[in-house]
Amino acid sequence: MNTKKPLKMALIGAGRIGSFHAETIARRLHNARLVAVADPAPGAARKLADSLDCELAYTDPQQVFADPDVDAVLIATPARFHTPLAVSAANAGKHVFCEKPMALTIAEAEAVIEAAARNQVQLQVGFNRRWDRAFSEGRAAIDAGRIGTPQLLRSLTRDPGPFNADPLKIPNWTIFYETLIHDFDTLLWLNAGAKPVEVYAVADALVRPDAKDSGHLDTAVVTIRFDNGAIAVAEANFCAMYGYDIRGEAFGSGGMVTMGDVKKSSLRLLDKDGESADTWRLDTHHFVEAYTLQIQHFVDTVLGNTAFAGPSGRDARSALAIALACIESVRSRQPVRISAIAEL
């Protein structure tokens, strides 16, 4: 766009993370402006818009797409709506920032990528760990050759407990589509230039075993083999009673780099009960800087202030291919070749 005017953005999906992203656009970015909020739930869009001094509130996302005053949209709805909304936005000429997962099938992913390319709009996907300082510095160390050739990689997501959600309301395979998808993107990004070739996944309902018969899974471990010989492990659990635990590791022929810490700071408290430390409890606290930087990058890219660095639609498609291979692996209890899912 090559303009000094702020990017006029609309939010679609006024839930927890959508509300946080809307606050980021309205309060944390100097070159973006929140001009509309859309959500079908009665009163949800209006309530959020009013809290952020945003004039327009819609119940139908099509109203956003038809609004000529909107330059770009941020999609933060439930995952099953991401693809149709992203395609509609692109077809309306709106730049698209889409929360993960961008799609639930390879065909859907390709539809979003094609629509963005055909309409010449920017498409970025919300894999926020790339923008976390520790993870970005870890990637820089790998790129600089400081650990030699990557051989073993690890990424984990342990959501903070207690787990109070109703497992019957969580869509099946969420642990792969929406939780471990972050870890898959992280591992692909840390092992840049390599392609995953085979996946083996094990998953169970260890947090809520009573919900297993409904298809609920809350614990998983995944092994990924890459074409450069590296082996990666991703793991997830929905209930870490000690906090929100997000970590990564890359071990190579010349060294190792670790990223992330459940502790909020280097503070250590020692008293009559021993030693303790405060831990992260919410993603919006842990990753406030990363969440902000990813949207800032999207805005700067659309405005022509910087070159696009991802995550792209292609990146989202690659992470999705691993997730789909995991689902097939759990079903078959066998390793699954990525080529059986998609050509990367």
Side-chain angles (χ1 to χ4, degrees):
M1 292 178 68
N2 291 314
T3 176
K4 293 184 178 180
K5 295 181 180 179
L7 187 70
K8 293 174 287 186
M9 296 186 65
L11 172 79
I12 302 176
R16 183 188 69 87
I17 197 63
S19 296
F20 183 84
H21 289 330
E23 181 183 338
T24 293
I25 297 167
R27 302 282 189 251
R28 301 186 183 97
L29 303 185
H30 71 279
N31 56 352
R33 185 160 63 92
L34 184 69
V35 297
V37 176
D39 193 294
R46 183 75 271 163
K47 180 180 179 181
L48 178 60
D50 287 347
S51 72
L52 296 172
D53 301 316
C54 174
E55 180 181 355
L56 299 176
Y58 299 126
T59 55
D60 185 351
Q62 297 301 321
Q63 295 172 283
V64 168
F65 305 145
D67 188 340
D69 201 39
V70 173
D71 300 319
V73 299
L74 192 156
I75 298 170
T77 62
R80 64 187 181 276
F81 301 119
H82 288 182
T83 293
L85 289 171
V87 170
S88 294
N91 286 338
K94 313 300 184 186
H95 301 281
V96 178
F97 183 103
C98 185
E99 261 297 348
K100 55 77 195 171
M102 181 183 74
L104 299 179
T105 69
I106 295 298
E108 287 181 352
E110 290 172 349
V112 178
I113 294 166
E114 188 277 331
R118 175 167 39 83
N119 292 285
Q120 297 183 312
V121 297
Q122 186 61 62
L123 170 63
Q124 183 175 327
V125 182
F127 291 121
N128 61 286
R129 290 183 203 175
R130 297 187 182 204
W131 304 98
D132 176 76
R133 181 174 179 178
F135 281 85
S136 64
E137 290 181 351
R139 166 64 189 267
I142 296 170
D143 288 347
R146 298 181 66 182
I147 71 164
T149 302
Q151 297 173 345
L152 297 171
L153 301 105
R154 185 181 182 219
S155 182
L156 66 84
T157 299
R158 296 174 185 165
D159 289 333
F163 178 76
N164 294 320
D166 182 351
L168 299 182
K169 294 182 178 180
I170 298 174
N172 287 353
W173 308 114
T174 287
I175 198 163
F176 297 116
Y177 279 130
E178 300 191 45
T179 303
L180 279 163
I181 198 89
H182 273 299
D183 301 276
F184 301 152
D185 178 71
T186 297
L187 293 167
L188 289 164
W189 178 65
L190 292 176
N191 197 19
K195 293 183 178 181
V197 295
E198 187 176 80
V199 165
Y200 180 65
V202 178
D204 209 334
L206 303 183
V207 178
R208 286 292 304 270
D210 58 309
K212 183 176 180 178
D213 288 346
S214 71
H216 173 72
L217 297 171
D218 50 43
T219 306
V221 177
V222 178
T223 302
I224 306 166
R225 298 188 66 92
F226 287 87
D227 63 0
N228 66 347
I231 303 170
V233 174
E235 66 166 85
N237 184 280
F238 286 177
C239 185
M241 292 304 296
Y242 58 87
Y244 182 49
D245 192 0
I246 305 295
R247 284 177 282 145
E249 178 182 294
F251 171 88
S253 58
M256 180 179 73
V257 61
T258 65
M259 297 143 280
D261 195 337
V262 70
K263 293 188 296 184
K264 294 178 72 173
S265 73
S266 59
L267 180 145
R268 298 163 59 212
L269 173 65
L270 294 97
D271 58 16
K272 63 181 178 60
D273 296 318
E275 180 180 337
S276 63
D278 288 337
T279 59
W280 296 109
R281 296 287 165 167
L282 289 173
D283 59 341
T284 49
H285 293 168
H286 190 342
F287 288 120
V288 60
E289 181 179 14
Y291 279 140
T292 301
L293 287 174
Q294 66 173 356
I295 301 174
Q296 182 68 71
H297 178 71
F298 173 74
V299 172
D300 287 341
T301 301
V302 173
L303 293 178
N305 298 331
T306 190
F308 181 61
S312 67
R314 291 286 174 192
D315 294 329
R317 181 182 180 276
S318 295
L320 174 63
I322 296 178
L324 292 171
C326 288
I327 292 170
E328 180 57 32
S329 180
V330 170
R331 284 172 169 158
S332 67
R333 300 188 179 185
Q334 297 290 330
V336 173
R337 302 286 293 183
I338 293 294
S339 59
I341 303 299
E343 292 297 328
L344 301 185

